[in-house]
Amino acid sequence: GIGGAFQYGLQVSIINSPAEYIKSFIRETWLKRYGSSPTEELITLMWSFIVSIYSIGGLLGSMSAGYLSVRFGRKKAMLFANIPSLLSAALMGLSRVCGSFEMIIAGRIFSGVCGGLGLNINLMYAGECAPRKLRGLIAITASTAIAIGKFVGFALGLREVLGVDALWPLLMAANTLPALLQLLTLPFFPDSPRYLLIDKKDKEGCI
């Protein structure tokens, strides 16, 4: 669940803490570019766009999860989900340095794609790999990973950790760590038996 359901929970909760800092960043960037302060309505609109565009990315990720999991297998599809995750972390983490709030919007789309892919394939992969007696218990771990992700996002957003004006880009790029952790560990995991048998016709590998 580290690179699957956890990523979804993390991104859902992590956006709440830096709200005022990102709004200030949008205001400052707009003033530097156009020489005039944006209206409060425009700031609110941009912020709403940053928050809600995650769902669009999630939809795109969810729609492509089925194809990728059949085309490449559950394990490889989970590994591919880390590409948009790392891309989103880079975009959002460097947005302040580059003076571009559009990078936050793009980063949120990519993080949504990762969340949509990870959440769907995580459930599929865990359920198919689990022994029959433990299948129900293993399936519940996805919900547990979402809850842990939300808690970690909340904890990182505290003022004592990363929830301050100077560190909000690092907070927004916090999904780097679970993505790297999964990239390092998941290759050692087995492929889904169902994928090997039904999609690859590899009965020996399935057994």
Side-chain angles (χ1 to χ4, degrees):
I2 288 169
F6 177 88
Q7 286 274 29
Y8 169 77
L10 181 70
Q11 287 298 327
V12 165
S13 67
I14 215 168
I15 194 67
N16 297 317
S17 303
E20 291 306 314
Y21 306 132
I22 293 174
K23 286 179 184 178
S24 298
F25 170 62
I26 294 169
R27 195 176 289 111
E28 289 165 15
T29 307
W30 194 279
L31 183 61
K32 283 178 186 175
R33 279 189 199 170
Y34 306 111
S36 61
S37 295
T39 62
E40 282 304 312
E41 289 80 8
L42 183 61
I43 296 289
T44 304
L45 179 66
M46 295 302 295
W47 171 247
S48 301
F49 198 56
I50 286 169
V51 173
S52 59
I53 202 140
Y54 179 81
S55 302
I56 305 297
L59 178 64
L60 294 171
S62 297
M63 286 171 66
S64 54
Y67 169 76
L68 290 174
S69 62
V70 172
R71 177 75 176 78
F72 300 104
R74 283 47 160 165
K75 187 173 81 169
K76 284 182 182 175
M78 284 283 286
L79 289 169
F80 287 151
N82 292 299
I83 296 170
S85 177
L86 292 170
L87 191 55
S88 76
L91 285 165
M92 292 190 287
L94 296 171
S95 59
R96 191 174 198 174
V97 176
C98 298
S100 171
F101 57 82
E102 293 88 352
M103 288 173 70
I104 301 174
I105 296 169
R108 287 286 290 171
I109 293 174
F110 284 117
S111 64
V113 171
C114 169
L117 280 172
L119 187 59
N120 285 284
I121 301 168
N122 180 185
L123 284 164
M124 203 185 304
Y125 181 57
E128 290 174 7
C129 286
R132 197 184 308 171
K133 290 180 181 178
L134 298 175
R135 199 162 290 159
L137 179 67
I138 299 285
I140 291 169
T141 60
S143 303
T144 310
I146 293 172
I148 294 169
K150 286 181 178 178
F151 172 74
V152 170
F154 173 76
L156 290 174
L158 294 172
R159 292 183 186 278
E160 292 78 10
V161 190
L162 297 175
V164 291
D165 189 27
L167 297 176
W168 69 258
L170 288 178
L171 177 64
M172 296 298 286
N175 56 335
T176 307
L177 193 59
L180 289 175
L181 192 58
Q182 192 188 55
L183 281 171
L184 291 171
T185 56
L186 194 61
F188 298 100
F189 281 60
D191 252 318
S192 158
R194 186 186 182 281
Y195 164 73
L196 290 171
L197 181 65
I198 296 173
D199 298 313
K200 297 291 285 183
K201 313 296 183 197
D202 183 5
K203 188 176 180 181
E204 198 176 315
C206 172
I207 292 166

